[in-house]
Amino acid sequence: MDKIKVILNPYAGRWLASRLRPVIEETLTALDVPFELELTTKPGTGIEMARQASLDGFPVVVAAGGDGTVNEVVNGLALAADALGKPTAGILGVLPIGSANDMAEIAGVPIQLRAACEAIKRGRTRRIDLGVVNGRYFDNNVGAGFEAQVTIESRKIKLLRGTLLYLIAVFRALSHYPSPTMRITWDDGELQRSLLMVSIGNGRRTGGGFFVTPDAVQDDGLLDLGVANALPRLQILQLLPKVMRGTHKNDPAIFLTRSTHITVESDYPLPVHADGEIIYTDAKRLDISIQPARLEMIV
């Protein structure tokens, strides 16, 4: 087996990843997987690390962290493929040790650390689609409005992980986020109204336990668009359990459709996240599209 590159975000999982570094090294060594491990130092550095690793010829680049770490590595792999004129990005491995591991779980990556290392040893892969928002790649979803504000609030909470973290963040965001008027266009339709949030899913789950786009499929060549109307706080709280079960599809406050190209426009500056990473706090236009079968990943 050729040497692989492991990009570890030590902050992932509220510093859980840093504590797991020796376990990762010991497990890969015991499995006879040759590797080179590098730590990210601040947000965004994983993109360049992954891009350079792919250009340097590492056949597999592993994201050790949560959804944000995966997003950075995916962007690096895709940028390297763009530079080389390759239709498919290099092979992605994931060690899911973040606060939320939506993309990995939905794709079929084992959640237990040893099992994820064993999957990398086996090397079985699948192709999935990648989305692009204003030139930045995403693998799971993009959220604008309230969903992104929840992400911002979650960053302020230091002692929790997983679904509970995002539930607390929901209640914090409810206290002050407005519902601006947005104009959404997609392949065969458009709408303009006061909206709580817009969610574009390549995967069906976000925030560690919210099935906002419950029918999204990672390899169908389509993006799932979910729109929530402006609602009183009580109705939002009543809707929340449905979203956590993915049973909100027939709720009159929700609109769901599928498309290959989506634009979001707003005069009000929108917070926006891509795979749990805040990429804008003041966006007024988003241009979002899908690139089918762009990424090969180990499962």
Side-chain angles (χ1 to χ4, degrees):
M1 183 177 182
D2 293 331
K3 182 183 288 187
I4 66 172
K5 183 79 166 189
V6 179
I7 296 175
L8 173 67
N9 174 9
Y11 178 71
R14 300 298 192 264
W15 294 105
L16 172 66
S18 179
R19 298 193 297 273
L20 288 175
R21 176 181 178 176
V23 179
I24 293 169
E25 293 175 327
E26 291 166 9
T27 304
L28 291 175
T29 299
L31 292 170
D32 292 322
V33 176
F35 67 94
E36 179 180 302
L37 187 144
E38 189 172 4
L39 301 180
T40 61
T41 56
K42 59 183 179 180
T45 56
I47 298 175
E48 177 56 25
M49 288 177 182
R51 187 191 73 85
Q52 192 59 52
S54 186
L55 293 176
D56 288 343
F58 283 92
V60 175
V61 182
V62 176
D67 288 308
T69 310
V70 174
N71 175 275
E72 290 194 8
V73 172
V74 164
N75 270 271
L77 290 173
L79 289 172
D82 290 342
L84 297 171
K86 293 183 177 181
T88 305
I91 299 174
L92 169 74
V94 181
L95 298 179
I97 51 177
S99 296
N101 303 291
D102 296 303
M103 187 270 199
E105 287 197 50
I106 296 302
V109 175
I111 295 307
Q112 296 299 320
L113 181 54
R114 181 175 178 85
C117 290
E118 291 171 346
I120 290 169
K121 170 73 171 181
R122 287 193 303 271
R124 185 179 66 219
T125 64
R126 62 171 292 199
R127 294 277 184 92
I128 70 167
D129 306 332
L130 289 183
V132 184
V133 51
N134 289 7
R136 179 177 176 125
Y137 291 94
F138 66 95
D139 48 73
N140 188 51
N141 85 311
V142 164
F146 182 75
E147 183 179 311
Q149 188 62 42
V150 170
T151 300
I152 291 172
E153 297 298 333
S154 74
R155 296 294 184 265
K156 303 173 186 177
I157 303 170
K158 304 302 182 183
L159 299 178
L160 299 174
R161 292 190 291 132
T163 304
L164 180 59
L165 164 66
Y166 290 96
L167 276 173
I168 299 299
V170 164
F171 284 96
R172 290 191 177 186
L174 277 173
S175 68
H176 59 83
Y177 187 73
S179 295
T181 297
M182 303 185 210
R183 179 172 180 264
I184 318 296
T185 61
W186 60 95
D187 288 350
D188 56 1
E190 69 175 81
L191 63 83
Q192 182 169 333
R193 66 180 71 144
S194 180
L195 298 175
L196 179 68
M197 70 177 202
V198 177
S199 189
I200 296 97
N202 186 42
R204 64 182 183 271
R205 194 184 81 188
T206 185
F210 298 91
F211 293 85
V212 182
T213 51
D215 295 327
V217 179
Q218 292 172 313
D219 58 1
D220 64 351
L222 294 169
L223 292 167
D224 280 41
L225 169 65
V227 173
N229 293 334
L231 296 170
R233 291 176 187 173
L234 180 58
Q235 281 188 253
I236 295 172
L237 293 175
Q238 291 171 338
L239 184 62
L240 195 60
K242 295 182 182 180
V243 176
M244 294 182 71
R245 296 190 301 267
T247 58
H248 57 290
K249 291 186 288 186
N250 295 321
D251 193 289
I254 301 295
F255 173 76
L256 295 167
T257 190
R258 286 180 170 147
S259 184
T260 60
H261 184 236
I262 299 161
T263 61
V264 180
E265 296 173 291
S266 171
D267 290 334
Y268 182 88
L270 300 172
V272 181
H273 81 84
D275 299 332
E277 294 298 295
I278 297 299
I279 58 173
Y280 299 110
T281 58
D282 57 355
K284 293 191 174 182
R285 178 181 170 89
L286 302 174
D287 192 277
I288 306 155
S289 60
I290 190 76
Q291 295 187 357
R294 187 73 204 281
L295 179 69
E296 189 169 358
M297 69 177 297
I298 294 173
V299 296

